[in-house]
Amino acid sequence: IKFELSKEKLVITASDNDITIQTVINKGDNLVIESTGNIVIKGKYILDIIRKLEADFINIEIIDDHKIMIFTENSEFNLNGIDAKEFPDIDLELSPDFVSMSISSFKSLITQTNYACSLDEARVVLTGVNIKINDDNLECSATDSYRLALKKHKLTKSVNNSADIIIPSKNLSELLKLLTSSDDESIEMHLFSNKVIFKFNNILFQSRLINGTYPNTKNLIPSESLFDLKLDTNEFYS
């Protein structure tokens, strides 16, 4: 995990080349800056340490270039860090043309489609959720060839460029774990040719895209039915 401390904020970045997550703690948000600097700390070690700390505040200090001391009032840990220059350069610049919606709407879109994705890597395009955007229409679909989930959403603002992308299902599952905000807050989706960046609160979440053409699923849904049945949701669920 890369820690970048400037005079105004602490930027924390982690990546496995498939997913990149970056968050910011601004000065004044329970952050006291003694001096600036950059360091990379092995994620497993810093997580294990923080889980065991019970204090309200944690102090992180770099000694002798890459030696790290992490301490509270009654605990102290020493670690070897890594030069921040060895961390790969990751472009998290946002796009001027993006999609915005409430977090509650986005969670509904993903949770009601993501489950239908395939687990078979032989057809890699089916292991992701297909998102199509045209004007102010957004459509999410997922299928594993046996079942199909389709969800539509009307955007409050039209986009300049249409989009047809496939986001890996497992990456969206990780994103959902971070979406614990209230329904009123919004999430932005910034689209690129080979990646997508989600921006919400003080977090940037970048995911790679799956290359390929998603099958046309519109023809799979019948336009007419033999009959329509209306029943109580709770009774049907039980």
Side-chain angles (χ1 to χ4, degrees), residues 9 38 84 97 131 134 140 171:
K9 60 189 176 182
N38 304 324
D97 189 29
I131 296 180
N134 189 15
C140 274
N171 294 4

Side-chain angles (χ1 to χ4, degrees), residues 31 72 86 134 153 160 202:
L31 173 67
T72 62
E86 296 187 28
N134 189 15
H153 178 79
N160 296 326
N202 60 339

Side-chain angles (χ1 to χ4, degrees), residues 16 18-22 99 101-111 114 129 131 140 165 167-181 186-191 196-209:
D16 63 359
D18 198 40
I19 291 175
T20 299
I21 301 175
Q22 184 178 92
V99 172
M101 69 182 77
S102 68
I103 286 180
S104 60
S105 296
F106 179 77
K107 287 173 71 174
S108 176
L109 279 170
I110 302 306
T111 53
N114 198 33
V129 173
I131 296 180
C140 274
I165 61 173
I167 306 176
S169 171
K170 59 185 178 64
N171 294 4
L172 288 171
S173 296
E174 294 299 323
L175 175 59
L176 287 175
K177 295 176 184 177
L178 302 177
L179 296 177
T180 56
S181 304
S186 62
I187 182 170
E188 297 176 3
M189 183 164 57
H190 297 255
L191 306 173
V196 58
I197 298 178
F198 296 94
K199 182 179 183 292
F200 54 99
N201 299 332
N202 60 339
I203 295 175
L204 295 179
F205 183 101
Q206 176 178 283
S207 168
R208 69 171 179 86
L209 299 178

Side-chain angles (χ1 to χ4, degrees), residues 1-234:
I1 300 174
K2 184 180 181 181
F3 291 76
E4 300 174 274
L5 187 61
S6 66
K7 293 180 179 179
E8 297 83 25
K9 60 189 176 182
L10 172 64
V11 180
I12 305 172
T13 309
S15 179
D16 63 359
N17 290 327
D18 198 40
I19 291 175
T20 299
I21 301 175
Q22 184 178 92
T23 187
V24 176
I25 303 174
N26 291 303
K27 187 177 181 180
D29 295 342
N30 292 324
L31 173 67
V32 179
I33 302 170
E34 298 292 342
S35 59
T36 61
N38 304 324
I39 195 71
V40 175
I41 307 176
K42 288 192 175 180
K44 178 181 182 301
Y45 296 150
I46 187 72
L47 284 172
D48 287 345
I49 289 172
I50 291 176
R51 284 194 188 105
K52 296 171 183 173
L53 296 177
E54 297 179 352
D56 292 331
F57 283 87
I58 176 174
N59 302 282
I60 302 177
E61 187 175 337
I62 301 174
I63 310 164
D64 298 332
D65 292 335
H66 304 136
K67 298 289 184 181
I68 305 163
M69 183 167 66
I70 301 172
F71 60 96
T72 62
E73 291 180 353
N74 50 17
S75 302
E76 182 178 316
F77 300 88
N78 291 281
L79 286 173
N80 290 322
I82 303 170
D83 193 324
K85 293 178 182 177
E86 296 187 28
F87 199 86
D89 289 329
I90 300 171
D91 182 13
L92 290 173
E93 186 174 344
L94 301 176
S95 168
D97 189 29
F98 60 88
V99 172
S100 179
M101 69 182 77
S102 68
I103 286 180
S104 60
S105 296
F106 179 77
K107 287 173 71 174
S108 176
L109 279 170
I110 302 306
T111 53
Q112 294 183 29
T113 53
N114 198 33
Y115 71 91
C117 290
S118 174
L119 300 176
D120 185 7
E121 293 291 339
R123 295 194 66 187
V124 67
V125 294
L126 298 186
T127 63
V129 173
N130 180 217
I131 296 180
K132 294 179 180 178
I133 303 170
N134 189 15
D135 292 331
D136 61 348
N137 298 306
L138 187 148
E139 186 177 285
C140 274
S141 59
T143 182
D144 59 2
S145 296
Y146 296 96
R147 57 186 177 179
L148 168 66
L150 175 66
K151 178 83 173 176
K152 296 180 180 181
H153 178 79
K154 203 77 171 176
L155 300 172
T156 56
K157 186 183 78 169
S158 299
V159 295
N160 296 326
N161 301 312
S162 60
D164 187 349
I165 61 173
I166 309 171
I167 306 176
S169 171
K170 59 185 178 64
N171 294 4
L172 288 171
S173 296
E174 294 299 323
L175 175 59
L176 287 175
K177 295 176 184 177
L178 302 177
L179 296 177
T180 56
S181 304
S182 67
D183 293 350
D184 296 334
E185 294 177 337
S186 62
I187 182 170
E188 297 176 3
M189 183 164 57
H190 297 255
L191 306 173
F192 301 88
S193 60
N194 61 345
K195 66 181 182 180
V196 58
I197 298 178
F198 296 94
K199 182 179 183 292
F200 54 99
N201 299 332
N202 60 339
I203 295 175
L204 295 179
F205 183 101
Q206 176 178 283
S207 168
R208 69 171 179 86
L209 299 178
I210 295 175
N211 292 324
T213 303
Y214 205 80
N216 184 6
T217 57
K218 284 187 176 181
N219 298 331
L220 300 178
I221 302 177
S223 57
E224 298 178 356
S225 56
L226 295 175
F227 60 86
D228 294 328
L229 181 64
K230 187 175 182 179
L231 51 142
D232 182 86
T233 304
N234 292 326

